Amino acid sequence: MINVFMIHSGQDYKMVKEVIEPYLRGSKDDGPNTSANCSILTLESGEDIPWKKDATAKIKMSHAVIVVIGADADNDSKKDTMGWEVETAVKYNKLIMLYNPNNDKIPDYLMITDRFTKQKRLVAPVMTLEQIKQRIDDYVNEYYPIFSASYVDLPPENRSQRKGELVEQYKMFQKTSEDLVARRQSVNSFYISVNSALTGLLGVAFGVFDDSVKLIVAAFMCAAGIILDISWIHILEAYGTLNAAKMKVIKLLEEQLPVMLYDAEWRIMSDKLNNKKYVSFTDSEKRIPKLFFSLYVIILVGVIVVAIFGLI
């Protein structure tokens, strides 16, 4: 279940409540959909309710934001309301989907400058209600379309003839996962080496410099070490996210093959009947920079205490 925040004008309120929300939410008893994979977030009503604060909180809670483009969405007054909400959704990096049922004029606040081409483009694609629902369902079901349109349009007998190509692409993609592990190890080796050198230099600094210089050098080196380890943790998290994405793609590819090796391996490791807690590589690797980080913080606090109270 994901949270969806709706951005719309007052004129489109009835359509949102009577058409869009029932279609997206669905129900087991009635409505056009039997699956209810999303929860619709709406603003609180009332004059005493600070709508910007409420909207910000709901946008931050949401997984996706749907902008309903109606006949009055292009009014100047909507730039300060709907436009502000769209800007907030962009700020918090939310998935935005545009719904324009009557092909009304696209307001300027939905246009952004592409950072690569420097050209104006829509903040998000315009989608039908069916496409929006499918996008939500695919996310909840952890499904992403991986096949090209030309392959999907092939008749079944022609698809079977291209199984060899599928296997080769699977091998190539699986190798990128192995290469990612090797790059992670190189990154870890680099940061461990730098941190080891830095802690060694800290020891040398305490033995070589005078007291006043010693404190300044130690504080500078500890600050550098803290920044270094924060960077290290962020890189490990990025590698973990990338590897998780690769595993999902491999799973989707394996669904087209006779066996699902990686998926089976994951299910075996995460099976609670094993009575063993699985700790991911990313979580294990982050323990090392956290240890260095804690060491630098302790030394830095000690240096500050000495500098303030003169306890040498």
Side-chain angles (χ1 to χ4, degrees):
M1 182 74 72
I2 69 171
N3 295 324
V4 175
F5 181 75
M6 305 285 295
I7 296 177
H8 61 86
S9 68
Q11 184 173 307
D12 297 316
Y13 178 80
K14 184 177 181 181
M15 176 180 63
V16 169
K17 287 296 181 182
E18 296 181 1
V19 179
I20 300 176
E21 285 193 17
Y23 185 88
L24 294 180
R25 275 198 295 222
S27 101
K28 293 182 179 179
D29 302 322
D30 55 12
N33 297 295
T34 56
S35 61
N37 288 327
C38 73
S39 172
I40 307 297
L41 302 179
T42 56
L43 296 179
E44 300 291 337
S45 59
E47 294 181 358
D48 297 332
I49 302 296
W51 73 271
K52 282 192 175 183
K53 183 177 180 180
D54 186 30
T56 300
K58 297 290 173 58
I59 290 172
K60 290 172 70 174
M61 289 172 56
S62 69
H63 298 84
V65 172
I66 299 174
V67 183
V68 180
I69 304 172
D72 66 335
D74 190 43
N75 289 350
D76 292 338
S77 61
K78 301 305 178 189
K79 183 176 181 180
D80 296 329
T81 53
M82 294 178 65
W84 181 88
E85 290 174 334
V86 171
E87 183 179 336
T88 304
V90 172
K91 174 184 176 182
Y92 289 107
N93 196 32
K94 298 298 179 179
L95 169 66
I96 300 175
M97 295 177 281
L98 308 181
Y99 179 52
N100 190 2
N102 300 313
N103 293 319
D104 290 305
K105 183 180 178 182
I106 303 292
D108 289 338
Y109 56 77
L110 290 178
M111 305 297 294
I112 60 173
T113 302
D114 190 286
R115 60 178 179 175
F116 297 110
T117 64
K118 306 303 179 184
Q119 301 294 318
K120 287 284 187 179
R121 64 171 178 83
L122 278 174
V123 69
V126 176
M127 306 170 70
T128 65
L129 208 53
E130 293 80 5
Q131 289 172 328
I132 293 173
K133 181 69 167 64
Q134 188 64 55
R135 179 71 176 88
I136 293 171
D137 293 345
D138 285 347
Y139 175 81
V140 173
N141 297 321
E142 296 187 344
Y143 173 78
Y144 294 88
I146 60 173
F147 294 103
S148 64
S150 60
Y151 181 82
V152 172
D153 293 338
L154 286 175
E157 60 274 14
N158 290 352
R159 285 192 192 181
S160 61
Q161 295 174 3
R162 302 187 65 177
K163 282 288 184 182
E165 297 177 39
L166 179 60
V167 171
E168 287 303 316
Q169 282 192 285
Y170 173 78
K171 290 179 180 178
M172 291 172 59
F173 194 80
Q174 186 263 346
K175 187 177 183 305
T176 65
S177 180
E178 296 176 353
D179 293 341
L180 182 65
V181 173
R183 291 202 301 271
R184 285 171 68 162
Q185 293 302 322
S186 298
V187 167
N188 287 332
S189 297
F190 169 77
Y191 277 100
I192 289 174
S193 298
V194 174
N195 274 281
S196 299
L198 197 56
T199 52
L201 289 173
L202 270 171
V204 172
F206 278 108
V208 172
F209 296 106
D210 295 333
D211 291 339
S212 57
V213 178
K214 181 191 303 182
L215 296 178
I216 296 173
V217 173
F220 175 79
M221 295 177 72
C222 285
I226 289 171
I227 295 172
L228 184 74
D229 290 333
I230 291 174
S231 172
W232 188 2
I233 291 172
H234 285 331
I235 290 175
L236 289 177
E237 289 175 345
Y239 273 125
T241 301
L242 180 57
N243 191 61
K246 285 182 178 294
M247 290 299 103
K248 286 184 179 181
V249 174
I250 287 174
K251 178 185 176 182
L252 293 171
L253 284 168
E254 285 185 335
E255 289 176 353
Q256 307 300 318
L257 299 173
V259 292
M260 299 177 63
L261 301 177
Y262 278 91
D263 185 57
E265 180 184 57
W266 169 250
R267 283 188 280 112
I268 291 170
M269 288 192 301
S270 58
D271 193 340
K272 293 184 178 180
L273 291 176
N274 291 328
N275 200 28
K276 293 181 180 180
K277 183 179 180 181
Y278 170 71
V279 180
S280 69
F281 286 123
T282 302
D283 290 336
S284 299
E285 289 171 332
K286 286 197 298 186
R287 291 173 181 171
I288 302 175
K290 286 179 179 178
L291 285 173
F292 279 114
F293 179 89
S294 300
L295 175 63
Y296 293 131
V297 170
I298 291 171
I299 296 175
L300 184 59
V301 170
V303 167
I304 293 173
V305 169
V306 170
I308 293 176
F309 297 101
L311 302 177
I312 300 177

